Amino acid sequence: MEPVIEVRGLTARAGTAVLLDAVDLTVAGGEVTALVGPSGSGKTTAALALLGEAAAGVRLSGTVRVVGIPVVDADGPTGAARDVRGRIVSYMPQHPAHALNPARRIGSVLTELARLHRPRGTVGRSAAADLAAEALRTAGLPDDIATRRRFPHQFSGGQRQRVALAQVLAGSPRVLVLDEPSTGLDTVTRMRLAGQLTRLAADGFTVLLLSHDHDLVRAVAARTVLLDRGRVSAAGRTRDVLPAAPRPVSSTPPAPVTPASETVLYARGLTAWLRPGRQGEILHEVTVRVPEAGCTAVVGPSGSGKTVLARCLAGLHERHRGHVMFRGEPLPVLRHRTVRQIRGVQYVWQEVRNSFDERRTVLEQVARTAVRLRGLSAPQAERRARQVWERLGLTTEHATRHAGAQSGGELQRAALARALLAEPDVLICDEITTALDTVSTELVTAELTRLREESDTAVLWIGHDLALVEQLADDLVVLDAGSVVDSGDSRTVLTSPRSETTRLLLRARHLGPVPAMSSEPAPTDVQ
Amino acid sequence: MLRYTLRRCGWTVVQLGALSVIVFLLTDLLPGDAATVDFNEQAGLDQVARLREQMGLDRPLAERFADWAHGLLTGDLGTSLVGGGPVSEVLSSSVGVTAALAAMTILFLVPLAVAVGLLTGLRADSRTDRVISAVTLTLTSVPDFVLALLLVGLFALRLGWLPSTWVGADDVWWQRPELFVLPLTVLLARTVCVLSRQIRAGTITALHAGYTVQARRLGVPPARLLLWHVLPNAAAPGVQELARTGDQLLGGVLVIEAVFAVPGTATALVEAVQNRDVPTVQALTLALAAVACLLNLAADLVGQRLAPRTEVLR
Amino acid sequence: MRRGARRRHRRVTGGALLLALPVTAAVVGPLVTPADIPSDGPPYALGGGHPLGTDALGRDVLTLVLRGGASALGVACTAVALAVAVGGLLGLAAAASRSRRLDDLLIRPVELLLPLPSLLVISVVGVGWRGHPVAVALAVAALNVPAVARLLRAAALDAASGPVAEALRLQGESPARILFGHVGRAVLPVAAADAGARVGSAVFTVAAANFLGLGLDPTSPDWGVVIAASREALFVQPWAVCAPTLLLVLFTVGVNLLADGLLAAKAEGKATAWNP
């Protein structure tokens, strides 16, 4: 079969740096081909070359042919590249939500794109609307008029990704280039994405998948090209290029079963709203209990209300109703808490970069907790901060830097240290390992286990990595769409799930764990 | 969007109500009234008092306000203390030329500002951009009345190309388009500069935004990209600025009418203020404030449509 | 980025240089000139001991210009300073108040003033109090308060509800420290840039009111009044119009450049903060 995309000796130079070095790539029609490599390996540069596009200051050479049309030749992009964009090859960027025009209804953009690549006059207004509706259906969204009249900001994060996909599909291209589509997805959504990619290929689309998520690639791609620092290091059938890694047997000892002890934090009948005036109910009658020295995990797909629950308990989300008790006493919202209560319940969240002040060093900010909540002097606090700091695998060198100069993983641990300095009774951890590699994750879990054993600290763990949850948690609460759908002893819940959501989460796990972002050499950009 | 529109319109009604109170109080604070201005030279104190009684100026404030507000709602703007005729007549005889001036300004303002803003935004940091930006920055800093004087000096007095005053053109102003050239130029100079600078900034932001890059990658041709993808976003800060321009425009019209002796609302207002003709001042001020209020409303509604994300934070 | 920084720097220094002349004239002028300027020359004379000639009343234009800056710039600057102080307090208080009702109570009444046409109000006040500088300054300040309060409330709300403030609250920092230490510092550059733009337009409005004869006494040395009084003699004695005009324009161009540079610095700071 004639290859749809043929790349021979593609080279990209920026000044003296070589971004791509004689890359060869062949993409056959009607199947998924994966271009795999860590970030910085040149995946995006190669993908944009298929559109005849290069970033400012980057020179392309070699040959790129798309369905026989030369897009790049020895002198760089050709004039014919313009006819390829959107009509034959469509590219979906890594953060698709940014690709949606905030000022326009999605339907009008889809209709515009649908008419754009068809000969003038052949597509009337109603025919274009039908094409737009079809693109929405293919992307997995409802196609009614109400949906088409919405603005991008009226969709949830996951839906926005599908709207971006619909835009890419609207011009009926033959080739789809998807840049890291699984970034930031929870396991269930990631599983759905895998299904969708397979369906797209079955529908006749040629798909080029750019990813560093090996499990996803193994699940969907027929052929794989490995890219390493601008060179092709391997190419062939996926199962030859990326042999399945032996699945690590859950060798970690089961979580220490703590005897039924006093409940530290207890939330009963918690209902929360997003907007004022009890509009947009996001949690419905949720009950969670965290015993002393215990660990309760909350899992669920994104948008299920996990973070709102954590923020309610931390006292940051004030639009809620229900009972929150801390050591038998009602716990008010944060601004009405006593110092004892603030110190007792500490919260670490996922997106920490913006929570550090750019004007002070990170260590200085971390140490403030001990000054304010434990009454230590500034030097004492700094000494304590350095101790915690080192146990989490951060060096002294990190201490004197500002937040802007640190990677996402370093800041996540710094935020944990900031909370730990309060020596809390309950620590609420909201997806605090997303930016950590395996080694750092182990350091963090070891520190939490140590605190539970030595200081009787209780942990409320929020995450979607079930392997980690299994290892840490005694109790498990499964949230879906704001309601508790499953709860109880974590082992019982995971071995005999009672709800569809839990079964889905367990099934999604077999796509493998979400790869740690820090396996890349470059510091991760959280934004 | 509908809810926002209704809420915003409701708020405008409240604003108009409050404006009427403020305008009434403010004008009431004017020391001296028509009675004293007209008669303090020749008349004795008791004559002034009798006149005040005749004009109803001795009644309590609340009572007078209630009367005035009732009149407003029934379309009666009161009686001019100086001319003796109804204030609505003063308003209707002067509003035409002012409205024409303002409408023509806005008519020219929007396309001019968009064109200049887009041109400089597209070629940001080029020589064209730097020259135009320097000119617009300087022009925004030249007061209307100074510009008016300079242009009159050059084109009317020195070169004699254009008329310098509307005196003598009382009823036939719409037949003499050359009368409008200088006033419009002055009114446009600053507003176009202010607005185009906003649109330039918006264009630069929108040109580098992810959605523009993506639209280009999906094969949207350049002209279409500019009009349908960049402009709606680039215009958003400009529209918000337009609401504020409304205020500048009113101030500008006031100055322009004075400099060119245009027989418009602003001239009538200035005269009324100098004569302490309180009912006329009240009615004209309220009318102009209401126009500003409605301009604000329109700009907010258009802005909401262009940048729907900027819903109120809480 | 670097070129942008240099151009920005040039703008700020350029703005400061342009400001130097009018500000010096306004500050030093009243100290070196008599309060009552004598009419000691023929009307609209050029030369003859008067470096910039005389005006319609035979007064020395240089003395007039030196004397008139204080009212032309002083009233506007005082008014804007007052507006920023009051509006800033209101905005910060509204943003800091966690109850929506208090927020509304503080901000809504102020917003009622927004659509008031500024020149109209100043004219009425100017005529009412015969152009008394304090009355005019108060009026200009009152007109600017709503916009300042609204802008600073939005900026403060951004900072106060942001993750840095949340982290500080979870660390047990006091509300005062969060408000003044973190929120205040975040709002400061916004306030400075905004005040710069406002001074320019306030100077305009006051000068325009004076030009229209709705403010100060027609014999006052204020720049706006002098321009208006001498405008018929634009070609006979150009200095009487041009000298005060030039100072006025120098001032507003300078202030605009300065505000522009500050705003650009803010935008750039944001860009680097977002993309480390």
Side-chain angles (χ1 to χ4, degrees):
Chain A
M1 189 172 157
E2 170 88 2
V4 176
I5 294 175
E6 226 181 334
V7 176
R8 291 286 165 267
L10 179 66
T11 302
R13 286 196 181 80
T16 53
V18 179
L19 305 179
L20 291 175
D21 188 3
V23 167
D24 291 344
L25 174 71
T26 308
V27 178
E31 61 178 33
V32 180
T33 305
L35 189 57
V36 175
S39 42
S41 59
K43 295 193 299 281
T44 302
T45 311
L48 289 179
L50 302 183
L51 303 168
E53 189 181 318
V58 173
R59 276 171 296 117
L60 296 176
S61 57
T63 52
V64 176
R65 286 171 168 277
V66 178
V67 290
I69 304 172
V71 174
V72 175
D73 60 21
D75 305 321
T78 63
R82 202 182 310 150
D83 303 328
V84 167
R85 282 176 210 153
R87 191 170 70 89
I88 297 170
V89 184
S90 272
Y91 171 84
M92 183 154 112
Q94 185 173 1
H95 299 290
H98 298 302
L100 303 178
N101 194 325
R104 295 191 56 193
R105 299 180 198 278
I106 63 158
S108 97
V109 176
L110 287 173
T111 318
E112 181 194 340
L113 291 171
R115 300 178 82 171
L116 200 61
H117 294 300
R118 292 177 174 83
R120 191 170 285 273
T122 57
V123 180
R125 199 165 280 278
S126 64
D130 290 344
L131 286 166
E134 192 192 319
L136 280 172
R137 275 198 304 278
T138 316
L141 283 168
D143 61 347
D144 55 309
I145 299 222
T147 309
R148 277 183 273 157
R149 284 188 59 78
R150 278 154 86 184
F151 288 99
H153 76 281
Q154 292 168 318
F155 290 89
S156 74
Q159 284 176 319
R160 257 177 258 168
Q161 190 167 25
R162 288 185 213 172
V163 175
L165 180 62
Q167 284 192 5
V168 166
L169 294 171
S172 304
R174 288 185 58 185
V175 185
L176 299 178
V177 182
L178 308 175
D179 196 348
E180 300 277 10
S182 65
T183 307
L185 297 187
D186 66 57
T187 43
V188 174
T189 322
R190 182 159 153 263
M191 184 176 70
R192 291 203 184 108
L193 172 75
Q196 202 166 37
L197 291 179
T198 317
R199 262 196 312 281
L200 284 172
D203 285 351
F205 286 104
T206 304
V207 179
L208 179 64
L209 171 68
L210 276 55
S211 186
H212 71 263
D213 180 346
H214 291 192
D215 289 302
L216 178 70
V217 169
R218 268 193 290 268
V220 300
R223 307 180 66 78
T224 295
V225 175
L226 275 186
L227 208 57
D228 185 21
R229 270 162 284 165
R231 283 168 197 265
V232 174
S233 59
R237 292 198 306 188
T238 302
R239 73 178 98 104
D240 303 332
V241 177
L242 283 181
R247 195 169 291 284
V249 189
S250 186
S251 61
T252 40
V257 179
T258 36
S261 53
E262 195 203 342
T263 299
V264 190
L265 188 66
Y266 182 49
R268 184 161 48 89
L270 199 63
T271 301
W273 295 271
L274 277 184
R275 292 188 294 281
R278 312 215 148 169
Q279 300 279 313
E281 192 168 310
I282 185 138
L283 285 185
H284 325 287
E285 302 284 330
V286 171
T287 297
V288 182
R289 188 178 152 272
V290 191
E292 186 156 38
C295 175
T296 301
V298 178
V299 298
S302 16
S304 60
K306 301 189 297 276
T307 296
V308 175
L309 172 63
R311 287 174 58 85
C312 282
L313 298 177
L316 289 168
H317 189 91
E318 299 189 355
R319 291 188 193 111
H320 70 254
R321 187 196 64 198
H323 300 275
V324 183
M325 311 288 275
F326 173 62
R327 293 205 179 274
E329 308 243 321
L331 190 64
V333 296
L334 183 59
R335 64 196 156 100
H336 296 312
R337 285 184 190 174
T338 61
V339 171
R340 171 72 188 87
Q341 285 169 330
I342 297 180
R343 187 177 77 70
V345 183
Q346 280 287 315
Y347 171 47
V348 190
W349 59 91
Q350 180 183 8
E351 187 55 67
V352 288
R353 180 172 296 281
N354 294 331
S355 79
F356 286 95
D357 189 347
E358 274 300 323
R359 287 176 283 249
R360 294 181 288 157
T361 66
V362 172
L363 187 74
E364 214 180 316
Q365 294 177 57
V366 167
R368 272 302 283 182
T369 310
V371 175
R372 290 295 304 180
L373 295 176
R374 301 215 56 90
L376 300 188
S377 70
Q380 276 174 326
E382 201 185 309
R383 249 197 321 279
R384 286 280 301 134
R386 278 178 195 274
Q387 285 168 7
V388 177
W389 194 260
E390 274 159 28
R391 274 207 296 277
L392 293 173
L394 294 165
T395 60
T396 327
E397 183 205 341
H398 292 128
T400 51
R401 280 201 238 150
H402 288 254
Q406 312 223 356
S407 77
E410 285 156 5
L411 286 179
Q412 244 176 7
R413 281 173 284 166
L416 179 61
R418 180 168 64 188
L420 288 181
L421 277 186
E423 299 181 13
D425 300 29
V426 191
L427 185 67
I428 304 169
C429 303
D430 186 358
E431 313 225 352
I432 62 168
T433 55
T434 46
L436 299 184
D437 56 22
T438 331
V439 179
S440 311
T441 306
E442 268 168 23
L443 282 173
V444 167
T445 52
E447 177 69 11
L448 291 183
T449 311
R450 192 187 70 79
L451 284 169
R452 285 174 61 193
E453 282 165 3
E454 291 175 11
S455 323
D456 284 345
T457 308
V459 176
L460 181 75
W461 180 269
I462 293 173
H464 54 243
D465 185 349
L466 283 184
L468 213 54
V469 166
E470 222 172 354
Q471 179 193 334
L472 282 168
D474 315 321
D475 293 316
L476 184 61
V477 174
V478 182
L479 272 187
D480 193 13
S483 300
V484 175
V485 292
D486 223 338
S487 73
D489 176 61
S490 66
R491 196 152 311 196
T492 320
V493 172
L494 290 177
T495 46
S496 51
R498 277 176 303 178
S499 75
E500 193 47 47
T501 314
T502 321
R503 276 190 284 273
L504 203 61
L505 284 169
L506 281 166
R507 226 171 339 127
R509 181 168 61 151
H510 290 310
L511 195 61
V514 178
M517 291 163 97
S518 313
S519 58
E520 308 155 25
T524 49
D525 187 355
V526 180
Q527 282 304 308
Chain B
M1 181 74 198
L2 184 69
R3 249 178 80 178
Y4 176 83
T5 311
L6 287 178
R7 229 178 38 214
R8 187 65 186 76
C9 288
W11 176 240
T12 307
V13 172
V14 176
Q15 257 180 337
L16 285 174
L19 271 180
S20 66
V21 178
I22 295 173
V23 166
F24 186 83
L25 286 180
L26 206 63
T27 45
D28 198 75
L29 286 176
L30 274 178
D33 47 46
T36 46
V37 169
D38 269 10
F39 291 91
N40 57 0
E41 301 288 321
Q42 314 97 317
L45 273 179
D46 46 325
Q47 251 175 309
V48 172
R50 206 170 320 131
L51 202 78
R52 286 175 61 94
E53 204 183 308
Q54 219 174 11
M55 292 173 164
L57 295 173
D58 56 341
R59 291 179 303 148
L61 183 71
E63 204 176 302
R64 278 184 289 136
F65 178 71
D67 257 16
W68 180 66
H70 180 257
L72 273 187
L73 291 176
T74 53
D76 173 19
L77 296 180
T79 312
S80 164
L81 296 184
V82 174
V87 172
S88 46
E89 220 161 72
V90 179
L91 188 63
S92 61
S93 70
S94 65
V95 79
V97 60
T98 305
L101 211 53
M104 280 173 79
T105 311
I106 291 182
L107 207 67
F108 282 103
L109 166 66
V110 173
L112 265 177
V114 167
V116 175
L118 276 182
L119 180 76
T120 47
L122 281 177
R123 305 175 174 234
D125 276 339
S126 70
R127 182 178 301 228
T128 330
D129 171 42
R130 281 204 301 258
V131 170
I132 296 182
S133 290
V135 170
T136 55
L137 186 71
T138 317
L139 269 184
T140 41
S141 315
V142 179
D144 301 337
F145 60 92
V146 170
L147 196 64
L149 285 190
L150 294 179
L151 289 182
V152 166
L154 184 64
F155 291 103
L157 304 183
R158 251 300 130 86
L159 301 170
W161 292 351
L162 292 162
S164 68
T165 166
W166 285 38
V167 172
D170 281 350
D171 292 326
V172 289
W173 48 265
W174 58 82
Q175 295 168 6
R176 296 182 53 194
E178 75 274 13
L179 283 177
F180 281 92
V181 175
L182 284 181
L184 269 185
T185 314
V186 177
L187 281 176
L188 283 174
R190 254 188 89 202
T191 39
V192 165
C193 292
V194 172
L195 207 56
S196 69
R197 289 170 65 78
Q198 294 287 337
I199 291 176
R200 172 184 181 270
T203 306
I204 293 174
T205 314
L207 269 181
H208 292 97
Y211 49 82
T212 310
V213 175
Q214 177 65 1
R216 193 183 295 132
R217 280 179 189 156
L218 288 175
V220 178
R224 212 185 161 79
L225 190 74
L226 202 61
L227 283 181
W228 290 92
H229 296 259
V230 173
L231 191 58
N233 292 284
V239 168
Q240 275 158 14
E241 184 63 36
L242 193 62
R244 278 207 272 159
T245 314
D247 181 45
Q248 277 182 21
L249 203 62
L250 276 180
V253 168
L254 218 66
V255 170
I256 291 309
E257 290 194 1
V259 172
F260 294 93
V262 180
T265 311
T267 311
L269 179 70
V270 173
E271 253 168 46
V273 168
Q274 278 161 345
N275 293 329
R276 306 290 194 278
D277 184 356
V278 175
T280 311
V281 175
Q282 282 168 343
L284 295 185
T285 311
L286 190 63
L288 291 178
V291 170
C293 210
L294 293 175
L295 262 178
N296 252 319
L297 172 71
D300 270 6
L301 290 181
V302 176
Q304 172 70 12
R305 168 64 189 82
L306 287 178
R309 295 155 301 167
T310 50
E311 274 169 52
V312 199
L313 262 163
R314 300 195 197 177
Chain C
M1 189 61 62
R2 176 158 299 178
R3 214 174 98 214
R6 208 172 53 221
R7 285 223 344 251
R8 198 187 70 230
H9 192 71
R10 255 199 342 242
R11 253 185 224 182
V12 172
T13 32
L17 277 178
L18 288 180
L19 279 178
L21 186 64
V23 169
T24 319
V27 173
V28 182
L31 303 176
V32 298
T33 50
D36 226 3
I37 301 160
S39 303
D40 54 355
Y44 294 134
L46 272 168
H50 304 285
L52 295 178
T54 59
D55 74 344
L57 301 176
R59 297 177 295 177
D60 180 52
V61 170
L62 182 63
T63 321
L64 275 175
V65 162
L66 284 174
R67 191 81 212 166
S71 69
L73 305 185
V75 168
C77 291
T78 319
V80 169
L82 206 63
V84 170
V86 176
L89 268 181
L90 266 176
L92 280 185
S97 75
R98 300 296 295 176
S99 102
R100 200 166 161 218
R101 211 164 289 156
L102 183 60
D103 181 15
D104 276 353
L105 200 70
L106 284 169
I107 282 297
R108 290 292 184 187
V110 174
E111 280 190 348
L112 282 176
L113 288 172
L114 260 180
L116 269 182
S118 42
L119 198 53
L120 289 185
V121 174
I122 291 169
S123 306
V124 171
V125 171
V127 169
W129 280 268
R130 311 215 176 274
H132 195 288
V134 175
V136 175
L138 280 176
V140 175
L143 287 167
N144 277 297
V145 163
V148 173
R150 225 159 89 135
L151 178 81
L152 295 191
R153 171 180 168 275
L157 215 53
D158 241 20
S161 60
V164 176
E166 287 191 342
L168 289 173
R169 287 168 63 202
L170 276 169
Q171 286 183 301
E173 296 285 9
S174 68
R177 193 181 156 109
I178 297 176
L179 188 62
F180 294 108
H182 167 64
V183 177
R185 268 160 78 176
V187 165
L188 210 58
V190 184
D194 178 61
R198 258 165 222 296
V199 166
S201 69
V203 166
F204 272 19
T205 322
V206 174
N210 285 333
F211 173 83
L212 289 176
L214 294 173
L216 295 169
D217 183 62
T219 58
S220 146
D222 182 272
W223 292 345
V225 180
V226 173
I227 297 173
S230 317
R231 68 191 211 212
E232 294 88 5
L234 183 61
F235 295 107
V236 183
Q237 214 293 62
W239 281 117
V241 175
C242 291
T245 304
L246 202 65
L247 288 173
L248 212 54
V249 171
L250 276 183
F251 182 78
T252 42
V253 173
V255 163
N256 277 341
L257 273 176
L258 214 60
D260 231 39
L262 281 176
L263 270 179
K266 204 186 109 241
E268 228 165 78
K270 209 168 188 175
T272 46
W274 273 81
N275 209 352

